[in-house]
Amino acid sequence: MPGETLLNSFDAVLADLDGVVYAGPHAIPGAVEALGRLAGIGVQLAYVTNNASRTPAHVAAHLRELGAPADDDQVVSSAQAGAALLAQKFPRGSKILVVGSKALAQEVEAVGMAVVDSATDAPDAVIQGFEPTLGWSALAEAAFAINGGASWIATNTDLTIPQARGIAPGNGALVAAVRTAVGLDPLVAGKPEAPLFHTAAKRLGATSPLVVGDRLDTDILGGNNAGMATALVLTGIDSLDSALKARTAERPRFILENLDGLFQPYPEISMRNGVYSCGGEQAWAEGNTITVRLSNGNEDGNCDVNAGRAMCAAWWAAVPETETPTNPAIVFEGLVPVHEGAVADA
């Protein structure tokens, strides 16, 4: 159909931020322009972020500075989800030790909780969120309180966070430090849990949203958990290689090089006699091996996104259910050597 694009099937985009819209303080090339096109085709937009270090208003202001469309209520954060979880589990006025940002503390106060600074205040619960300046003493207070009987909620457990200079430790790394001291796991409020996505869709009144993210273990898993269609964009943490190897729960429905792919027809993936084809690239799986037949345009052995899509389709059909990541061998037909478990990033 003329004018058919990926977005024709959806009424909203629920977009992650870090690795999708920006890396550190800078916009990812083309991302702002792509987001600006959504309103013109009648597709709504919300930002769903696990970053609990800033208020939604601050996040929206930063997005507007970058040129992206963003009202304050279009930003749904894990800090909000964490505060809502506290409100479900504890009466108003309960004492909460906030290990994280001022923004997180504000969300906790907004649901009627009393923020305390130390384990000596006998908090009812600890809520932990990302804050770049967080130090050992704050993590120690969390451990003292939890070992003293306080409940523990983490806004999110992202192990890493993309920055302008590269990949840095995320909230999950700091949560792991506390976990080592207390010997138990927190209740997690944000991605990959489903409520964050349901909240965003409800705000928009969307019935057919598309979740767009760069991380399989948070964005894609969370969108899948929420029963929504998911698209992995290859501008952040995860790659074609990690998508190929992903366990079933973390496999995306779509794979895009960047946000511009939302406005393009998504190539059909067909299968004939066990061979999966996408955009002229072909792949099939036998045993633990994927064989790839590249088109004439890829005679140098470079694996583009269509080849990656074909490989994923072939491998996921061969291994439809797996609770752990896989590691198939990959053979490029007519080329040597065999590349085991390696797919070039698009």
Side-chain angles (χ1 to χ4, degrees):
M1 177 184 296
E4 188 79 17
T5 71
L6 175 59
L7 287 176
N8 281 111
S9 300
F10 303 102
D11 61 359
V13 168
L14 308 184
D16 180 49
L17 290 174
D18 291 311
V20 175
V21 182
Y22 52 65
H26 303 296
I28 289 172
V32 167
E33 293 79 6
L35 295 170
R37 297 172 60 187
L38 292 173
I41 60 172
V43 175
Q44 299 187 86
L45 171 64
Y47 302 97
V48 182
T49 176
N50 261 356
N51 190 333
S53 63
R54 296 185 292 172
T55 66
H58 286 162
V59 172
H62 176 54
L63 287 167
R64 291 192 294 269
E65 289 173 358
L66 295 175
D71 294 329
D72 292 357
D73 63 359
Q74 285 180 277
V75 179
V76 185
S77 74
S78 62
Q80 292 176 320
L85 193 55
L86 286 172
Q88 292 174 16
K89 294 186 170 296
F90 298 93
R92 291 177 67 87
S94 295
K95 293 185 289 185
I96 310 298
L97 175 61
V98 176
V99 180
S101 67
K102 292 181 180 179
L104 178 57
Q106 289 174 9
E107 296 292 350
V108 172
E109 290 174 337
V111 296
M113 302 297 165
V115 173
V116 300
D117 300 321
S118 170
T120 60
D121 295 312
D124 298 293
V126 174
I127 186 166
Q128 183 175 355
F130 183 71
E131 164 54 47
T133 62
L134 205 64
W136 177 89
S137 60
L139 300 180
E141 287 300 317
F144 299 150
I146 296 163
N147 282 329
S151 298
W152 184 24
I153 291 174
T155 60
N156 67 289
T157 52
D158 294 19
L159 290 174
T160 59
I161 183 170
Q163 298 287 289
R165 296 172 57 194
I167 304 302
N171 194 53
L174 303 177
V175 167
V178 176
R179 183 189 292 113
T180 300
V182 301
L184 52 86
D185 293 323
L187 186 62
V188 180
K191 295 181 280 187
E193 302 304 318
L196 200 55
F197 298 95
H198 290 153
T199 297
K202 185 177 180 179
R203 283 192 191 180
L204 298 178
T207 58
S208 301
L210 174 66
V211 174
V212 180
D214 70 307
R215 298 185 64 112
L216 299 170
D217 60 347
T218 55
D219 306 317
I220 304 307
L221 176 59
N224 289 344
N225 284 340
M228 299 175 181
T230 55
L232 175 69
V233 63
L234 303 175
T235 53
I237 295 292
D238 277 305
S239 64
L240 285 174
D241 186 56
S242 53
L244 176 71
K245 298 176 180 178
R247 61 193 185 100
T248 304
E250 297 179 358
R251 292 171 177 173
R253 180 172 171 185
F254 305 104
I255 301 175
L256 307 175
E257 290 187 83
N258 49 52
L259 289 180
D260 192 54
L262 295 171
F263 303 92
Q264 301 171 8
Y266 196 78
E268 179 183 2
I269 299 175
S270 61
M271 189 275 287
R272 183 177 180 181
N273 297 326
V275 177
Y276 289 78
S277 301
C278 181
E281 314 300 339
Q282 297 181 326
W284 59 95
E286 295 178 307
N288 196 51
T289 299
I290 303 171
T291 302
V292 184
R293 179 184 294 142
L294 297 174
S295 67
N296 291 336
N298 274 331
E299 288 181 342
D300 58 0
N302 288 331
C303 181
D304 68 9
V305 68
N306 281 333
R309 290 163 175 159
M311 280 189 279
C312 287
W315 183 243
W316 297 349
V319 187
E321 297 294 334
T322 176
E323 296 183 358
T324 58
T326 61
N327 190 30
I330 300 170
V331 179
F332 292 94
E333 189 178 62
L335 299 174
V336 292
V338 172
H339 301 269
E340 293 193 0
V343 181
D345 294 351

